[in-house]
Amino acid sequence: MILDLDIGNTLSKWRLKDAESSEIRSRGAVWTREEWRPGADIPDLDVVEAVRISSVARAAVLEDTVTLLRRRVRHVHVAHSTHEALGVVNGYQEPGRLGVDRWMGALAGYQLAGGCCAVDCGSAITIDFVLPGGSHLGGFIIPGLRLMKESLKLGTRNVAIDPESEADELLEPGRRTVDAVNHGIYMAAVSAINRIYSEVCDQESVALPMLLTGGDARVVSRGVQVPHAVWPDMVYGGLEACFPMTLAERAGKMSGAPRVPEPVSLEKIRAGLAFSMLL
């Protein structure tokens, strides 16, 4: 079995993948911690032959996690943000400072679509652009839905927005304080994503497919105006591309990869941007 770990500052996700069939056997998530408990926090390591890790947690958390895993597992691979990988050139002046989860998403998106706008809707919402030639432009970071709620000093109670909510409802004025807050942060998030996408595509004269991932991707997706696909395993896809282990991975197949959405024409993007600037 292959254990994939996506360690965030707050939440850590894992999945167990069959090394022979490439099937996903199980998955889960726990709060990020320095002391992992195999069999409780992560699967029993007796069945794991290799581990792949993407981590943006504190260095001590990653170090302690790797130490634990290397005592029990033969192969432990840790992803790092580099100047270049898999045909993509990192847009950061200091490539190592780009969050490795963003780098994994950019690499996965490029392998799948040959250029993309990769949006990760987690604690923060990150928006990264990779051009068809493999140039990573850098990106944008805005507060996620929960962080925006916390910034209003209202805590996290009732922060969750139903992923099945219709976008039209979420974009209406709220008739209760909790609805006004939820609708407001939703409007802020989706408006920023839509505007950033249009502005960058206009500047670069290219219409890119958009891929969304992260815990809030499903609900954010409902307010995104351009064609897009939700790919929950996009960071894992980056790990698969960087450290291919199964026959399917070596053939370039990433688990759960969606059909690449056909973007609207650049002319339509520019027309919409011009209209919005007149309002």
Side-chain angles (χ1 to χ4, degrees):
M1 292 290 181
I2 301 166
L3 175 62
D4 290 322
L5 278 175
D6 177 10
I7 303 175
N9 288 307
T10 305
L11 195 66
S12 295
K13 295 175 286 185
W14 61 265
R15 72 174 189 184
L16 203 57
K17 185 174 187 179
D18 192 299
E20 296 296 326
S21 67
S22 275
E23 293 181 11
I24 306 304
R25 297 298 187 184
S26 59
R27 61 175 72 230
V30 295
W31 299 115
T32 296
R33 62 200 68 190
E34 294 187 23
E35 239 179 278
W36 297 88
R37 296 166 296 175
D41 297 332
I42 54 178
D44 189 341
L45 296 176
D46 290 340
V47 303
V48 175
E49 57 195 75
V51 181
R52 300 179 289 205
I53 303 173
S54 168
S55 174
V56 295
R58 292 185 300 108
V61 173
L62 177 60
E63 182 180 342
D64 291 346
T65 302
V66 170
T67 298
L68 165 69
L69 293 170
R70 283 185 171 152
R71 292 195 193 111
R72 305 278 300 276
V73 181
R74 185 175 180 181
H75 303 290
V76 178
H77 304 278
V78 181
H80 297 282
S81 296
T82 57
H83 171 69
E84 186 276 336
L86 303 174
V88 180
V89 178
N90 195 319
Y92 263 37
Q93 295 177 342
E94 297 180 68
R97 291 187 176 275
L98 174 67
V100 70
D101 54 345
R102 292 171 60 194
W103 185 233
M104 290 298 100
L107 294 179
Y110 184 71
Q111 303 313 301
L112 180 67
C116 70
C117 171
V119 182
D120 192 330
C121 307
S123 299
I125 295 174
T126 63
I127 308 165
D128 282 270
F129 293 86
V130 182
L131 296 181
S135 176
H136 170 245
L137 300 179
F140 300 80
I141 302 176
I142 61 176
L145 303 184
R146 287 166 178 77
L147 284 180
M148 281 194 254
K149 179 73 173 284
E150 290 171 0
S151 73
L152 294 173
K153 307 297 183 184
L154 295 175
T156 58
R157 188 176 63 177
N158 296 322
V159 69
I161 300 174
D162 184 356
E164 302 304 324
S165 298
E166 293 296 334
D168 288 347
E169 174 189 332
L170 291 169
L171 297 176
E172 293 176 354
R175 295 176 180 271
R176 298 181 303 155
T177 298
V178 66
D179 292 334
V181 170
N182 281 341
H183 295 191
I185 62 177
Y186 184 77
M187 173 73 86
V190 299
S191 296
I193 293 170
N194 289 325
R195 184 60 178 265
I196 287 170
Y197 173 85
S198 297
E199 290 280 4
V200 173
C201 287
D202 178 37
Q203 292 167 13
E204 298 298 326
S205 297
V206 61
L208 296 170
M210 182 185 288
L211 302 168
L212 276 67
T213 193
D216 289 323
R218 284 180 60 206
V219 66
V220 169
S221 167
R222 291 179 171 266
V224 174
Q225 295 173 349
V226 299
H228 60 277
V230 176
W231 187 5
D233 283 0
M234 188 156 66
V235 173
Y236 292 143
L239 288 173
E240 292 172 327
C242 288
F243 309 108
M245 295 182 184
T246 71
L247 289 176
E249 290 172 356
R250 293 189 181 100
K253 296 179 180 178
M254 294 173 287
S255 298
R259 181 182 63 82
V260 178
E262 186 70 29
V264 298
S265 68
L266 182 59
E267 289 71 22
K268 287 187 176 181
I269 292 173
R270 284 175 167 164
L273 184 60
F275 180 76
S276 68
M277 294 177 70
L278 291 174
L279 298 178

